[in-house]
Amino acid sequence: ETILAPRDTVDEEATAELKQQARDSVSPIYLLDSTILEQAKNENRNFFEGLKRAKSTANSYALSMGFITVENYENVLTQEQVKNILESLSVPIEAPLLYPALLLSDAGLDEAMQATESLLVAAMEKGLKEEDVTASLAAAIQAVQGDNTLGETQRNLAAAALTQCVRTNMTLDQAATNAAIQAAEDAVSPVEYKKGQAIAREGDVLTERQILVLTGLGMMEGSINIGPYLSILFALLLCA
């Protein structure tokens, strides 16, 4: 015989599974902080403006030592002078990059700055999550290194600026996320057996879920592990 529900009952386990699926289906909700991109753009500009000032400083050092024109600052500046210039920059670079950077024109620095800013906007304008920063930075650096309109020094300066400035500008809105999770869970309708609805049919092997339903209805007694004997038990119930 088929076992029928003697009254309406809820399949608690099935309902719980659906609620969990509903919770898991909700994506985190993030807020975009547009001020962070502006901060990054300002840092980028400050870096390249700082390089212009560094050029003037390096030129003053050279003049004080009797150099009218300089083709390679590596042979002119002292280690202390190089250290002072590097410490004045808002983006960390090494001396091997500083020397050729000091020989760039202001227009050349502006070109590198503008290229960097364009890539910053592309990476961050629509929002950048923490877990996506590394990939986005790598893509931006790859793009600038492949820009043939820039010289090698310009590309390396832009890569340094990108490394400093690309960052997450999205924060998790935990309250909104929790509300969305709760709404998804609340939208789940309980899984029910209506009175007279079949819970198990002749020939079925009772599942753990069916056992829980039957136990909740008072149609099975005890809580022993009867898993190995489910087929026999059901057959006996049907023959009773």
Side-chain angles (χ1 to χ4, degrees):
E1 295 180 4
T2 298
I3 300 179
L4 304 177
R7 61 180 181 276
D8 292 352
T9 187
V10 174
D11 186 334
E12 300 290 353
E13 184 178 357
T15 301
E17 287 181 2
L18 290 178
K19 287 186 176 182
Q20 186 61 54
Q21 291 173 11
R23 289 192 292 269
D24 294 342
S25 70
V26 176
S27 298
I29 298 173
Y30 289 87
L31 294 174
L32 173 63
D33 186 345
S34 59
T35 64
I36 295 178
L37 174 56
E38 291 306 312
Q39 292 170 4
K41 289 162 67 174
N42 286 335
E43 289 179 22
N44 176 57
R45 293 171 191 147
N46 289 339
F47 170 53
F48 285 98
E49 291 300 321
L51 282 170
K52 293 178 184 179
R53 292 191 295 272
K55 285 174 52 185
S56 178
T57 300
N59 186 57
S60 296
Y61 285 149
L63 288 173
S64 69
M65 291 182 285
F67 293 93
I68 304 302
T69 60
V70 178
E71 294 183 356
N72 187 344
Y73 276 101
E74 186 174 4
N75 301 323
V76 174
L77 300 178
T78 66
Q79 289 185 349
E80 185 65 24
Q81 290 169 338
V82 171
K83 178 175 178 289
N84 290 338
I85 292 174
L86 290 174
E87 288 179 348
S88 72
L89 300 176
S90 59
V91 171
I93 61 173
E94 300 295 331
L97 178 55
L98 175 65
Y99 297 132
L102 294 174
L103 299 175
L104 287 176
S105 66
D106 285 359
L109 290 171
D110 286 339
E111 288 176 355
M113 179 187 69
Q114 291 162 6
T116 306
E117 182 168 313
S118 294
L119 290 168
L120 280 173
V121 171
M124 300 173 60
E125 188 174 33
K126 294 183 179 179
L128 186 59
K129 298 176 185 176
E130 182 68 39
E131 60 266 29
D132 297 327
V133 169
T134 299
S136 293
L137 173 59
I141 290 176
Q142 183 178 20
V144 79
Q145 293 292 8
D147 187 348
N148 294 326
T149 66
L150 300 175
E152 180 181 2
T153 300
Q154 290 173 306
R155 293 195 296 268
N156 290 338
L157 289 172
L162 287 167
T163 300
Q164 177 78 8
C165 297
V166 172
R167 66 197 65 163
T168 180
N169 59 349
M170 299 190 77
T171 55
L172 178 65
D173 188 336
Q174 193 64 64
T177 300
N178 290 343
I181 290 173
Q182 188 62 55
E185 181 177 337
D186 292 343
V188 173
S189 298
V191 178
E192 294 181 299
Y193 286 101
K194 295 296 184 180
K195 181 178 179 180
Q197 183 178 348
I199 299 175
R201 301 183 183 278
E202 184 175 358
D204 287 349
V205 175
L206 290 179
T207 64
E208 182 179 352
R209 180 178 297 171
Q210 288 170 319
I211 292 173
L212 289 173
V213 172
L214 292 172
T215 301
L217 289 168
M219 300 176 71
M220 297 190 69
E221 297 182 357
S223 58
I224 61 172
N225 181 10
I226 60 171
Y229 309 103
L230 292 178
S231 298
I232 299 173
L233 174 62
F234 189 56
L236 288 173
L237 285 171
L238 294 176
C239 294

